[in-house]
Amino acid sequence: MRTAPTILHLDMDAFFASVEQASKPSLRGKAVVVGGLGPRGVVATASYEARVFGVHSAMPMAQARRLAPNAAYLVPRFQLYRSISEQVMRLLRALSPLVEPLSLDEAFVDLEAGGVAWDAQSAQLAGVRLRADIRAVTGLTGSVGLAASKMLAKIASEQAKPDGLVLIEPGTERALLAPMSVRTLPGVGPATGDHLRRAGITTVGELAEAGEDELVRLLGKAHGHALYAMALARDERPVVAERETKSVSVEDTYDVDIHDRVRVGLEVRRLADRCVRRLRQAGLSGRTIVLKVRRYDFSTLTRSETLRGPTDDPAVVGEAAARLLDSVDTTGGVRLLGVGVTGLADYTQEDLFAQAAGERAAADAGEAVAEGAERAGGAAAEGPPAEGEQPSAERRWPSGHDVRHAEYGHGWVQGSGLGRVTVRFETPGSPPGRVRTFRVDDPGLEPAEPLPLVERRPGEGPAPDGTEAAPASDAPEAGASGRRH
């Protein structure tokens, strides 16, 4: 059993919201909420300023608006978040070959495997340097926990939030855990927590006092043994460098229930195409097609079909999803649709069903109609759009997304409606900018790529993650300088 605190857990602070604040000077220090903005959208991330009002992730967006009516509400920019996450993960992999990402903003690192830490002092030094490098490369802050196990390192990073570092010294683990809620331990969800509470067990200390036999009686052999070990601060789970992708899926939640069966079919075709684009981006294919339908009464149905071999053909996936839809009653209305692929592989079996050219043409035509069909504000609260996907044939201006105006330069959308779009013109390195309003079809206004949060000027040398400074021609417009947020 490892005794030195050389397992590191990094959790970026309010990641999506912090990225938005870093890129938008006028939002720094303000309440920011990122998520699906439709009536059925949910909060993806709230800034710490918004959390003061009780807003938190997974909360219905309508409730968040009631709690914090003056907050900035923004549509997620997942492509930007992924690019910044990649910068952070490169820094982690520079520390050790054993990095286990849990999400875009969270990961475990085995510092001992990288030879950068072997005791408490060296581990703390590595954590301090990592936080400084993250700030230098991204302009953002992350909280770091250091301990002898994954469980304790994650608990330490929670204690470190926001923007801190906590190291759990060897020998102090049980005393630290004893007063904590049983829900702190991995594997203790609401149901298990309620079961233990009814047995008079609410803290980790009480869990340890109950004894292994009692926990096995209450929870079963596997769960009881595991929780007793964790209550004694024992966690032997290793940091795993590669976590195998088990599925690829996309979902859309609709502001208004869809009752038209033809419209439902078109949406399923469109989702199948999005899912295939993600498969191809990951260099994968899959054998099992899964359809998810959440109906008007919140009942959720899933249907699946396994093919003879793996595919990444949009026509094959779309046709399978359409067949699955045939077995689902949608007459009462549909509030969510999803298409996924499991049984993943890195090769394809071409032309599984030998579709005729006419069938392919029909599928392509259906896809085109689906993209142009009127949508009821399908805020993808549970599945971001695929890279490069256009939301519809008409011009849309999602709140928070980047734009550029021929006369005024780079800015971001504050809001749109009634044929108008309001833009604040500022960059990550500028002072808070001015606001202007345009027609939604203004020929001088166009979508733009996000600007870097941190500008590295020529002559500064490589960034801590090994990337070189951008040439002068790639720098943001005049006025951008220094660290961002």
Side-chain angles (χ1 to χ4, degrees):
M1 178 177 173
R2 187 191 304 248
T3 57
T6 54
I7 300 295
L8 180 148
H9 181 258
L10 170 71
D11 196 350
M12 299 295 289
D13 298 322
F15 184 51
F16 296 175
S18 293
V19 170
E20 299 299 344
Q21 289 176 318
S23 67
K24 300 172 172 64
S26 59
L27 297 185
R28 294 172 191 170
K30 307 286 182 63
V32 174
V33 181
V34 180
L37 300 191
R40 292 175 176 172
V42 297
V43 175
T45 308
S47 70
Y48 286 100
E49 295 86 356
R51 296 180 191 187
V52 171
F53 298 98
V55 180
H56 57 78
S57 60
M59 171 182 285
M61 190 62 74
Q63 182 181 355
R65 288 185 184 276
R66 290 194 294 270
L67 293 172
N70 296 320
Y73 289 86
L74 307 176
V75 175
R77 297 187 291 168
F78 288 104
Q79 183 174 350
L80 175 61
Y81 307 151
R82 279 192 287 268
S83 69
I84 295 171
S85 172
E86 289 166 3
Q87 290 179 305
V88 173
M89 295 302 166
R90 280 199 295 270
L91 291 172
L92 298 183
R93 293 186 181 101
L95 291 176
S96 172
L98 291 184
V99 176
E100 182 177 338
L102 304 179
S103 62
L104 289 178
D105 60 342
E106 186 180 1
F108 287 110
V109 184
D110 188 331
L111 298 176
E112 187 174 358
V116 296
W118 49 91
D119 58 13
Q121 184 177 1
S122 57
Q124 177 138 0
L125 181 60
V128 168
R129 287 177 174 168
L130 172 64
R131 292 182 62 242
D133 286 346
I134 289 172
R135 185 183 288 269
V137 170
T138 69
L140 305 176
T141 63
S143 296
V144 166
L146 292 158
S149 69
K150 291 167 70 172
M151 176 187 74
L152 292 168
K154 185 170 176 61
I155 289 172
S157 71
E158 282 296 319
Q159 293 182 328
K161 283 190 165 294
D163 190 20
L165 183 152
V166 168
L167 183 147
I168 298 179
E169 293 282 356
T172 67
E173 296 93 346
R174 289 192 62 180
L176 175 75
L177 286 175
M180 292 183 175
S181 165
V182 293
R183 292 289 304 276
T184 304
L185 301 181
V188 182
T192 302
D194 287 344
H195 191 50
L196 290 170
R197 179 180 53 78
R198 288 193 293 271
I201 300 171
T202 59
T203 69
V204 177
E206 291 168 347
L207 201 63
E209 291 172 4
E212 190 167 17
D213 291 342
E214 175 66 6
L215 294 181
V216 168
R217 185 186 71 80
L218 287 171
L219 303 172
K221 187 173 181 180
H223 205 184
H225 284 312
L227 283 190
Y228 182 68
M230 289 183 179
L232 300 181
R234 299 172 186 162
D235 178 16
E236 301 296 331
R237 295 174 300 159
V239 176
V240 180
E242 295 296 332
R243 296 169 63 89
E244 183 181 359
T245 301
K246 298 184 185 300
S247 66
V248 173
S249 63
V250 295
E251 296 178 355
D252 267 1
T253 301
Y254 303 96
D255 293 347
V256 179
D257 290 347
I258 304 175
H259 293 83
D260 182 359
R261 183 73 176 187
V262 174
R263 167 81 187 286
V264 173
L266 291 174
E267 289 292 320
V268 167
R269 284 281 189 180
R270 184 181 58 79
L271 289 166
D273 184 64
R274 275 175 53 187
C275 184
V276 168
R277 286 208 291 271
R278 289 192 177 182
L279 274 177
R280 290 180 171 180
Q281 287 165 3
L284 297 170
S285 60
R287 296 185 66 226
T288 301
I289 314 304
V290 180
L291 175 71
K292 177 178 177 181
V293 179
R294 182 168 298 153
R295 299 189 292 189
Y296 69 99
D297 58 357
F298 284 86
S299 61
T300 302
L301 305 177
T302 58
R303 299 287 186 269
S304 64
E305 175 181 318
T306 299
L307 309 178
R308 295 204 302 263
T311 184
D312 65 353
D313 188 317
V316 173
V317 175
E319 289 159 11
R323 285 193 296 274
L324 294 171
L325 179 62
D326 288 340
S327 66
V328 178
D329 179 11
T330 63
T331 53
V334 170
R335 60 182 289 124
L336 176 147
L337 290 168
V339 174
V341 178
T342 65
L344 302 182
D346 57 2
Y347 64 94
T348 63
Q349 181 173 319
E350 297 293 339
D351 297 322
L352 293 175
F353 299 108
Q355 291 93 347
E359 291 176 326
R360 285 185 182 276
D364 292 341
E367 170 194 324
V369 173
E371 290 293 343
E374 178 185 0
R375 299 179 57 193
E382 298 172 348
E387 299 285 351
E389 179 184 352
Q390 297 300 318
S392 72
E394 66 185 40
R395 300 184 82 188
R396 294 176 59 194
W397 304 105
S399 296
H401 282 222
D402 295 86
V403 294
R404 176 170 289 278
H405 192 272
E407 181 178 353
Y408 301 108
H410 193 95
W412 58 277
V413 176
Q414 282 204 163
S416 63
L418 301 177
R420 301 286 179 178
V421 55
T422 300
V423 177
R424 185 180 289 273
F425 290 97
E426 59 187 6
T427 67
S430 74
R434 296 187 61 181
V435 175
R436 298 182 184 275
T437 299
F438 308 90
R439 299 192 319 273
V440 293
D441 59 353
D442 188 305
L445 192 65
E446 61 182 4
E449 292 297 319
L451 297 176
L453 301 186
V454 174
E455 180 190 354
R456 298 194 60 79
R457 296 187 180 280
E460 288 184 336
D465 66 345
T467 57
E468 295 292 337
S473 60
D474 292 338
E477 47 192 71
S481 63
R483 186 182 64 76
R484 315 289 181 243
H485 183 51

